[in-house]
Amino acid sequence: MTRTAEQVGGKVPAQPGPQAAAERTTVPLPAPDDSVIPGAGPAAVRPGERPTVRLREDGPEEQPRYAPEWLELREGADADARSLDLLDPLRIRLANLPGRAGLVIHDLGCGTGSMGRWLAPRLDGPQHWVLHDRDPYLLHFAAVASPRSAADGSRVTVETRRGDVARLTPDALAGASLVTASALLDVLTRAELDILAAACAGAGCPALLTLSVAGRVELTPEDPMDAEIADAFNAHQRRSGLLGPDSVTAACEAFSERGATVRLNPSAWRLGPAEAALTAQWLRGWVGAAVEQRPDLRERADRYLRERLEACEAGELTVVVHHTDLLALSRPTGGAS
């Protein structure tokens, strides 16, 4: 099912001014001291349902697992972390796609559209972005806050779709120039990842998949519990068959098996006093997931979290959260555009 921005709840202005765009993309960040914004930590799961990024065509509406407040809070850190070194080989591939009259870019699990706001102004030529997500509110937000021009001033247009990332087929990506996603791979299973890799290979389009968790975190100053919390968090990320910190290795295998050339680059969050609000929410979610995985940690983890939050508020804590960006250059097909 395809929906235009107008169909998901509002008309997109043709050329919004900078002030209007800023007003549109601002979301209040209600973050009580003891709260975890949905998406920063463990998400509630309906009985019998495995937590995933599954996008539904129909069926009952579900509570969103990723709050716009969390996605906005992390957007700056995401933008600073993404690898610029992968853009040159991507630009070369896009420039050489056969029959290209403009770029058609599919953004999977687009959330509030941060990937488009980061990438569209870094690519030349006309672009049409197809935004995929399960949440109609996030789709609307992403559509109205999308960039309107490319690096060279060419027009950027957008449409939105609700669908299932686990049901992608080459036909679903017909005509695609590029597939993008951010913070997606680690919440897929191996079977879902294979579907994604096969769809990209079948469509002959490259994939730029950023900010996959690497399973490594560095906190300064150190604490004896750092490693124990990290291990429990990584185990939580692998629950129910999800790839978690194994996702990049699995993606390299999945894309390489289908003839793609794969490049990797680190894309770590580097959080200091200026990012205290993000660090505090990340800490709550990180420790919360560890305790959900290992309830026996709760008493010690409560003490650990309290002390870490105090250090964060005092400007005495720095955190490096390691991620990896992946560029898979699938072999072009005659139908690529």
Side-chain angles (χ1 to χ4, degrees):
M1 176 174 63
T2 301
R3 297 185 179 187
T4 64
E6 289 82 359
Q7 289 172 321
V8 294
K11 186 175 180 61
V12 180
Q15 291 294 334
Q19 182 177 356
E23 291 172 353
R24 258 202 328 268
T25 58
T26 298
V27 176
L29 299 178
D33 290 345
D34 59 350
S35 70
V36 180
I37 297 175
V45 181
R46 303 194 325 169
E49 182 178 41
R50 183 176 60 76
T52 182
V53 295
R54 187 172 54 203
L55 313 181
R56 293 179 181 272
E57 290 285 0
D58 48 29
E61 293 296 328
E62 302 174 51
Q63 291 297 314
R65 297 198 176 99
Y66 300 97
E69 292 87 354
W70 168 245
L71 299 177
E72 184 188 32
L73 189 59
R74 64 175 289 170
E75 182 165 348
D78 287 350
D80 290 341
R82 288 191 186 96
S83 172
L84 296 174
D85 291 341
L86 295 179
L87 294 187
D88 280 344
L90 174 61
R91 291 186 185 107
I92 292 170
R93 171 56 62 87
L94 295 177
N96 291 310
L97 286 176
R100 183 169 68 88
L103 299 178
V104 177
I105 302 172
H106 289 251
D107 187 6
L108 307 181
C110 67
T112 59
S114 64
M115 175 62 102
R117 289 189 291 276
W118 180 82
L119 183 58
R122 289 176 166 84
L123 298 177
D124 288 334
Q127 300 171 36
H128 181 69
W129 282 71
V130 183
L131 308 179
H132 301 252
D133 204 284
R134 63 184 290 276
D135 186 331
Y137 173 72
L138 293 182
L139 281 173
H140 174 65
F141 190 103
V144 299
S146 64
R148 297 292 179 260
S149 59
D152 60 356
S154 298
R155 187 182 180 197
V156 175
T157 58
V158 63
E159 69 177 271
T160 62
R161 295 182 186 176
R162 294 184 72 194
D164 188 340
V165 72
R167 296 175 185 160
L168 281 176
T169 66
D171 288 345
L173 299 179
S177 309
L178 172 66
V179 167
T180 69
S182 194
L184 173 69
L185 289 181
D186 40 272
V187 291
L188 297 179
T189 65
R190 180 60 193 248
E192 291 164 345
L193 175 60
D194 284 341
I195 290 170
L196 172 59
C200 291
C205 65
L208 179 63
L209 308 169
T210 68
L211 297 166
S212 299
V213 296
R216 293 182 293 114
V217 176
E218 301 168 25
L219 297 96
T220 306
E222 297 181 356
D223 185 282
M225 277 199 74
D226 290 347
E228 194 170 9
I229 295 291
D231 288 345
F233 174 83
N234 289 340
H236 184 273
Q237 294 296 96
R238 295 182 174 106
R239 69 200 183 283
S240 303
L242 301 183
L243 289 167
D246 306 318
S247 63
V248 172
T249 298
C252 287
E253 294 172 355
F255 281 96
S256 297
E257 287 169 0
R258 292 163 175 84
T261 300
V262 178
R263 301 182 184 219
L264 304 176
N265 255 58
S267 54
W269 279 355
R270 300 185 183 277
L271 309 180
E275 296 79 28
L278 173 59
T279 303
Q281 276 297 321
W282 172 82
L283 275 168
R284 293 186 183 102
W286 189 58
V287 175
V291 171
E292 187 174 276
Q293 182 68 26
R294 280 190 54 192
D296 61 293
L297 289 176
R298 180 171 299 279
E299 185 174 348
R300 290 187 296 132
D302 285 347
R303 183 273 311 165
Y304 172 87
L305 178 59
R306 182 173 61 254
E307 293 177 357
R308 284 306 200 187
L309 289 173
E310 289 171 355
C312 178
E313 185 176 3
E316 299 169 352
L317 180 68
T318 61
V319 180
V320 179
V321 182
H322 290 275
H323 305 103
T324 304
D325 288 0
L326 179 150
L327 175 64
L329 300 173
S330 297
R331 295 169 181 165
T333 65
S337 62

